[in-house]
Amino acid sequence: MPLRLIFMGTPDFAVPTLLALVAHGHEVEAVYTRAPKPAGRGMKLQPTPVEQEARRLGIPVLTPTTLKTPEALEEFRAHNADAAVVVAYGMILPQAILNAPPLGCFNLHASLLPRWRGAAPINRAIMAGDAESGVMVMKMDTGLDTGDVAMAERLQITDTMTAADLHDALAPLGADLMVRAIGALARGGLQLQKQSEDGVTYAAKIEKGEARIDWQRPAREVLRHIHGLSPFPGAWCEVASDGEPARVKILRCEPAKGAGAPGEVLDDGLTIACGDGAIRILELQRAGKAPMKTAEFLRGTPLKPPARLG
């Protein structure tokens, strides 16, 4: 039995869930997303990925700046939705909004709760060296990702995975999970359980100040730091270019054999010594340039021993 739904989401990560709900016959009465922002060379207003898909599907789109006013609540209730589905929406839902749909509001979160509640669970899981991640469906309350959970899917994190890789793997996994959860909700068979009070961690928003690479750290920590911030905001270091330090983002790397002073270039293939062990850089990006493979980068910026990265 299809449900009448409100969908609330903003980035690419949310799009597969919206498409899956529509494909499975649920009636999405309205889509809530963030307002368009200036982007690109011309700084034209750019609608969110969710808004673009919603308009393509002919679903009404709303972009309120707040949900805390009586007018916003009245508008939300007017959709007469059975439930709301929330995926990376980016706005706080007040209690009155959470109470409005008779079956509740359900969030898709990209971690294995209660680990990595908060804004940047994909990045933090990689940066912390976690062996696995996943997606969970949670019935929302006013806490920060503290609601009762219904279903989960797990996924191994390998040392080759960047944040983009994990994002792209979890998005379709989450879409399938939410469809199953909403199907169970429609049948009256969705079971919820409280989150454990053990193992709670918070995935704080990534700050620019933590993006600089610390070559003093062990090689695996450096690798996970780089991959956890790739492609955005990008872990960076300084490279000598024409005698001046130039900032370069490192986007992908792999473990390598070798040892030396932290930051030291060990060979012609951009193997870099860390505090313990070494990594080999595979992909990087100069400021204002497109990402490039190491061989292409070295043609323009030769780096050989005993050069060092700062």
Side-chain angles (χ1 to χ4, degrees):
M1 157 180 144
L3 293 181
R4 289 172 62 92
L5 300 174
I6 292 170
F7 185 86
M8 312 177 83
T10 294
D12 287 325
F13 185 81
V15 169
T17 302
L18 172 61
L19 297 179
L21 290 168
V22 172
H24 281 77
H26 296 291
E27 301 171 20
V28 179
E29 299 298 317
V31 163
Y32 281 65
T33 189
R34 301 303 296 270
K37 291 184 177 180
R41 289 185 178 179
M43 295 302 285
K44 293 182 179 179
L45 288 178
Q46 185 72 22
T48 69
V50 165
E51 178 174 349
Q52 293 178 50
E53 284 300 318
R55 295 200 181 281
R56 186 182 66 82
L57 294 167
I59 302 171
V61 174
L62 297 96
T63 59
T65 56
T66 180
L67 296 171
K68 296 179 179 179
T69 65
E71 294 77 16
L73 178 60
E74 183 179 351
E75 187 173 42
F76 192 85
R77 284 175 171 163
H79 301 300
N80 294 317
D82 299 309
V85 171
V86 183
V87 186
Y89 178 40
M91 283 179 64
I92 299 295
L93 273 59
Q95 188 67 57
I97 292 286
L98 295 175
N99 292 342
L103 297 180
C105 298
F106 293 85
N107 175 246
L108 179 70
H109 188 72
S111 82
L112 298 174
L113 294 166
R115 186 162 177 79
W116 301 129
R117 294 172 176 170
I122 290 175
N123 309 87
R124 295 296 177 188
I126 294 176
M127 292 167 73
D130 289 5
E132 64 176 357
S133 180
V135 281
M136 299 190 90
V137 171
M138 167 186 65
K139 186 171 184 181
M140 297 176 71
D141 59 22
T142 53
L144 178 63
D145 300 324
T146 55
D148 296 350
V149 293
M151 294 179 172
E153 286 286 353
R154 309 176 93 88
L155 185 73
Q156 181 184 8
I157 302 176
T158 69
D159 282 348
T160 64
M161 276 184 168
T162 65
D165 296 333
L166 185 54
H167 169 285
D168 292 349
L170 291 178
L173 197 66
D176 177 70
L177 187 70
M178 183 60 80
V179 164
R180 286 190 278 133
I182 294 300
L185 182 69
R187 296 188 299 271
L190 186 66
Q191 297 183 349
L192 299 167
Q193 63 181 35
K194 292 191 177 299
Q195 291 186 38
S196 171
E197 294 183 7
D198 297 326
V200 175
T201 59
Y202 290 94
K205 182 180 177 181
I206 302 296
E207 301 292 340
K208 288 183 179 179
E210 59 186 309
R212 184 165 191 165
I213 298 168
D214 180 2
W215 298 110
Q216 303 276 352
R217 296 167 68 182
R220 186 170 182 269
E221 290 184 15
V222 172
L223 179 147
R224 283 297 196 110
H225 179 236
I226 288 169
H227 285 174
L229 298 179
S230 177
F232 184 82
W236 61 273
C237 62
E238 288 185 341
V239 175
S241 178
D242 297 325
E244 296 292 329
R247 185 177 294 196
V248 175
K249 291 182 180 180
I250 312 300
L251 302 178
R252 195 179 292 270
C253 58
E254 65 183 4
K257 293 181 180 179
E264 183 181 351
V265 178
L266 299 178
D267 60 20
D268 294 342
L270 221 48
T271 298
I272 311 298
C274 302
D276 180 22
I279 63 162
R280 181 175 296 107
I281 296 171
L282 302 176
E283 188 176 349
L284 59 174
Q285 184 177 16
R286 289 192 189 96
K289 303 292 184 180
M292 61 184 75
K293 303 297 184 185
T294 293
E296 180 184 356
F297 176 84
L298 289 174
R299 283 196 290 270
T301 308
L303 285 174
K304 299 180 180 180
R308 289 183 67 171
L309 305 185

